[in-house]
Amino acid sequence: MRKHYIAGNWKMNTDKAGAVKLAQDLVKELKDKPNKYMIGVPYVYLDAVAQVVKGSNILLGAQDMAATGNGAHTGEVSAEMLKDIGVQSVILGHSERRHEIGESDELINKKVLRALEQGLEVVLCIGELLSDREAGNAEKVCAFQLSADLCGVTAEQMKNVTIAYEPVWAIGTGKTATPEDAEAIHKFCRNYIAKLYDQKVADEVIIQYGGSMKAANAAELLAQPDIDGGLIGGAALKAETFVPICVL
């Protein structure tokens, strides 16, 4: 039985005081709650937030990481550095990294492999543009990204991989795929993972929805059989909007 996994992606938001206060509020509000939780914190505040969530039921996540180990890579942050300050999970392949920064599936795959080798959990983001959906290619795009980004990942390592389906057209726009549309893609992704691996891996993998989930629509989305949680953006920036999703 898969349990809900709710992750908050703070993106490039908050200041240090706000990050610490939000983390404190979440530790208090989510103590002893039954689901799995993670917060994806900006690099510069990870260390401060690590002190707050240490020993709690909230995983500390980074929003990206380098594809290589330590060395001459100016401006990058390695898995080793993240682990050193208590990071347990990393978000990879987010649509904003793909489409604003230009990250390729080849690079994302290297990051996924590196993170797993270093013992970090991975939230791997996949999803189609509006033009892909309108052309009827949503499933094709998701299948390609799953194949490319998980290349070389073993069935055993898949225990530490969460898939986050994020229709790019529904991120930060206020638009949301209908629960039925979201479920259809989630079900497709689960069946495709069964083809890549086996049915056991597919049955166990957590697939989050990442397209403008909020308290008003979360219950209906999470009621779908193949939607196992959410990767939450804007609604994760305040305890009063994030906690109601977390406790469903």
Side-chain angles (χ1 to χ4, degrees):
M1 180 69 179
R2 301 183 300 271
K3 73 176 182 178
H4 289 162
Y5 180 11
I6 310 297
N9 178 13
W10 295 0
K11 305 190 180 183
M12 197 170 71
N13 290 297
T14 78
D15 54 21
K16 183 177 180 181
V20 169
K21 178 63 165 58
L22 178 53
Q24 290 171 336
D25 290 343
L26 295 178
V27 168
K28 178 182 177 181
E29 295 290 335
L30 298 179
K31 183 180 180 181
D32 299 325
K33 294 298 187 290
N35 298 319
K36 181 175 180 179
Y37 308 111
M38 183 268 276
I39 48 176
V41 179
Y43 280 143
V44 292
Y45 306 136
L46 279 167
D47 202 11
V49 172
Q51 311 310 312
V52 178
V53 300
K54 185 177 182 179
S56 76
N57 62 336
I58 301 175
L59 297 176
L60 181 64
Q63 299 174 18
D64 187 39
M65 55 159 269
T68 63
N70 292 339
H73 307 288
T74 300
E76 293 283 2
V77 178
S78 69
E80 291 90 338
M81 291 174 175
L82 296 176
K83 288 173 60 182
D84 186 46
I85 59 170
V87 170
Q88 299 147 295
S89 178
V90 60
I91 301 168
L92 297 174
H94 193 280
S95 62
E96 290 158 359
R97 303 288 309 175
R98 294 176 185 268
H99 301 295
E100 291 183 15
I101 309 299
E103 288 194 2
S104 66
D105 288 283
E106 180 182 7
L107 177 60
I108 292 164
N109 175 241
K110 289 179 180 178
K111 292 183 177 186
V112 169
L113 293 173
R114 180 72 188 170
L116 294 171
E117 288 167 1
Q118 291 298 310
L120 292 171
E121 292 188 13
V122 169
V123 174
L124 172 63
C125 302
I126 65 167
E128 80 281 5
L129 296 167
L130 181 59
S131 58
D132 297 319
R133 174 165 283 271
E134 290 178 339
N137 292 328
E139 291 183 354
K140 182 178 179 181
V141 170
C142 290
F144 174 81
Q145 291 174 346
L146 286 169
S147 295
D149 300 346
L150 294 173
C151 183
V153 175
T154 67
E156 182 67 23
Q157 288 177 315
M158 282 298 293
K159 293 178 181 178
N160 290 317
V161 175
T162 295
I163 305 299
Y165 166 64
E166 44 167 21
V168 181
W169 48 272
I171 298 171
T173 63
K175 297 180 180 179
T176 312
T178 67
E180 294 75 22
D181 285 343
E183 165 61 17
I185 295 291
H186 279 242
K187 183 175 183 179
F188 169 82
C189 290
R190 196 175 304 282
N191 290 337
Y192 193 78
I193 289 169
K195 294 178 183 178
L196 291 177
Y197 295 96
D198 56 38
Q199 194 61 50
K200 182 175 185 294
V201 171
D203 288 342
E204 292 178 353
V205 69
I206 298 294
I207 307 179
Q208 299 171 325
Y209 177 73
S212 294
M213 182 184 282
K214 47 190 178 290
N217 60 30
E220 194 174 4
L221 286 162
L222 293 172
Q224 303 300 313
D226 291 293
I227 299 179
D228 307 314
L231 180 60
I232 316 299
L237 295 176
K238 295 181 179 179
E240 56 264 37
T241 52
F242 187 54
V243 170
I245 302 171
C246 291
V247 298
L248 290 171

